[in-house]
Amino acid sequence: MNLKYAVCMLLIAGLVLAAGCISSEKTGGKDAGVPTENLPEGFSLIAVVDDSTPGIDMEDEIADFRGDEDIGTVKATVGKYQWGEMGKDYDARVTVIDCESEENAQTAVSNYIAQPEFEKPPFVGVDRFSTAVVNGRQVTEIRDKVGKELKYLYIWNDGSRVVLVEGNGDRANSLELASATGL
């Protein structure tokens, strides 16, 4: 593990906590579809960020949804979760975007899936896309490459709301996090 990376991660986590980003207020969190309580085993909430979070540009957080097609004006909330060793493992995330219409939400999903990095399979013989069931709804499963392992992502729209769950390398745990959104 790179000591410089670990120190940077700890500093970032400290700054996020110091900025008061972890909140149980109704402005973000569960009301926005981002799970804050009763998380699957192994996941712990680091922060919930939205437009009111100091020092965070939400456009950077949702840049992958802004593709070739316009998604209009949106309101986004991102939950960041620790599941592995701090400074060594990547964080899991849940991004919820409220769009002006269901069509804009479908466009945001399409833009995300159409990213150039998703054109090729993550590994030889592994399909990039599949389907899964989350809370009784069929969703798109994306298999992403992180180092030499797979990371499971789930994306869908619920009316005018887009949900992206960036889990970890355990499919069952990642599906549990997706189910925790309640959407």
Side-chain angles (χ1 to χ4, degrees):
M1 174 173 65
N2 186 341
L3 182 60
K4 184 177 178 181
Y5 177 75
V7 169
C8 287
M9 289 298 296
L10 288 173
L11 285 173
I12 290 170
L15 289 171
V16 167
L17 290 172
C21 294
I22 295 181
S23 172
S24 60
E25 295 177 16
K26 300 280 185 193
T27 57
K30 189 64 176 173
D31 287 347
V34 175
T36 58
E37 299 174 345
N38 303 318
L39 298 172
E41 186 174 336
F43 289 93
S44 59
L45 180 67
I46 297 172
V48 175
V49 297
D50 60 18
D51 286 331
S52 67
T53 306
I56 301 292
D57 182 356
M58 289 308 289
E59 283 300 316
D60 291 341
E61 297 288 325
I62 64 165
D64 292 335
F65 296 92
R66 299 235 185 241
D68 291 337
E69 301 295 323
D70 184 33
I71 64 171
T73 303
V74 300
K75 181 178 178 188
T77 305
V78 177
K80 298 182 181 188
Y81 307 87
Q82 179 182 341
W83 64 270
E85 186 179 329
M86 182 72 89
K88 179 181 176 195
D89 297 307
Y90 55 87
D91 296 333
R93 297 167 45 111
V94 174
T95 303
V96 178
I97 302 174
D98 289 309
C99 299
E100 296 172 319
S101 69
E102 184 169 357
E103 293 76 25
N104 285 357
Q106 291 169 344
T107 299
V109 170
S110 295
N111 285 346
Y112 189 86
I113 291 172
Q115 293 179 74
E117 71 184 69
F118 291 157
E119 289 178 5
K120 296 180 181 178
F123 297 103
V124 174
V126 176
D127 290 332
R128 171 71 71 185
F129 299 102
S130 186
T131 58
V133 176
V134 174
N135 298 327
R137 164 192 316 271
Q138 188 169 335
V139 304
T140 300
E141 177 180 271
I142 305 170
R143 297 172 187 128
D144 202 7
K145 180 180 176 181
V146 177
K148 295 181 181 181
E149 297 180 18
L150 284 179
K151 171 182 173 180
Y152 293 91
L153 290 76
Y154 299 94
I155 189 166
W156 69 95
N157 74 289
D158 180 24
S160 63
R161 183 173 271 187
V162 177
V163 182
L164 172 67
V165 176
E166 299 172 72
N168 59 22
D170 184 301
R171 185 175 190 268
N173 283 349
S174 299
L175 279 168
E176 282 185 58
L177 182 60
S179 293
T181 64
L183 301 171

